[in-house]
Amino acid sequence: MSMAAVSSVVLRNGTLAWRWYLLALVIVALDQFTKGLASSELVYGRPVAVFSWFNLTLQHNTGAAFSFLSDAGGWQRWFFTVVAVVISAALVVWLSLAERGQWLLALSLALILGGAVGNLWDRLSLGYVVDFISVHYGGWYFPAFNIADSAITVGAGCMLLDSFLAARREQSE
């Protein structure tokens, strides 16, 4: 086999994707643990100041990000459940098919998968997503969020960074 033929072979994660699935599972476990702690220790809607800019405030979100569609009457629970299941299934497949050397992409997919499953778990078991992290400054409050939301956000940022780096690699070749 010539050197050119060997270099064109692309190795996929395949069964080695279990490492990334394990990371997603750790995110789900951490997310569910912290949501359980928040639900048992915090009073709904009553902020507990941690820093001048950071509170723990238990909230229930029946919508999506930033409470989008939270007052839609209940159908949104099942809509967002189906969306999360489809996205999670796609992420599982993508992680398996991703090239072995693409660790930043795999990391981003695992973080997004863990966050999606963490919030999906809440929707299925509770009918809403538990949020408890509240960041604010000078009377301006960012919508409350949780560990799953944080994992999704960091995963999306890693995915953007991976796309940028991949584009730069392609330009330099």
Side-chain angles (χ1 to χ4, degrees):
M1 191 179 268
S2 72
M3 191 63 127
V6 171
S7 65
S8 66
V9 173
V10 175
L11 295 176
R12 304 289 178 193
N13 279 330
T15 57
L16 293 177
W18 70 267
R19 300 171 298 182
W20 300 111
Y21 300 142
L22 182 61
L23 175 59
L25 185 62
V26 167
I27 297 296
V28 173
L30 181 62
D31 176 62
Q32 290 301 304
F33 174 74
T34 56
K35 287 174 177 174
L37 200 58
S39 294
S40 67
E41 300 298 322
L42 298 173
V43 176
Y44 187 86
R46 184 177 301 160
V48 174
V50 177
F51 300 110
S52 62
W53 51 271
F54 177 79
N55 296 341
L56 297 175
T57 308
L58 180 63
Q59 296 184 1
H60 299 159
N61 182 0
T62 57
F66 308 114
S67 296
F68 176 66
L69 293 177
S70 63
D71 57 355
W75 64 266
Q76 73 276 19
R77 173 186 182 186
W78 303 111
F79 173 75
F80 292 129
T81 296
V82 169
V83 168
V85 167
V86 169
I87 289 172
S88 297
L91 291 171
V92 166
V93 171
W94 193 354
L95 266 168
S96 178
L97 296 177
E99 291 182 32
R100 285 190 192 169
Q102 293 185 319
W103 67 269
L104 187 56
L105 175 63
L107 174 65
S108 68
L109 296 174
L111 289 170
I112 295 168
L113 176 61
V117 171
N119 283 340
L120 173 63
W121 186 305
D122 281 12
R123 271 188 216 294
L124 289 174
S125 63
L126 304 171
Y128 53 83
V129 174
V130 174
D131 289 328
F132 61 94
I133 301 170
S134 176
V135 178
H136 55 91
Y137 178 77
W140 177 84
Y141 284 78
F142 190 79
F145 57 99
N146 55 47
I147 300 298
D149 297 334
S150 299
I152 292 169
T153 301
V154 171
C158 287
M159 188 177 281
L160 287 172
L161 178 60
D162 180 70
S163 296
F164 175 74
L165 294 174
R168 288 189 67 197
R169 277 191 304 271
E170 288 176 14
Q171 285 179 349
S172 66
E173 290 176 356

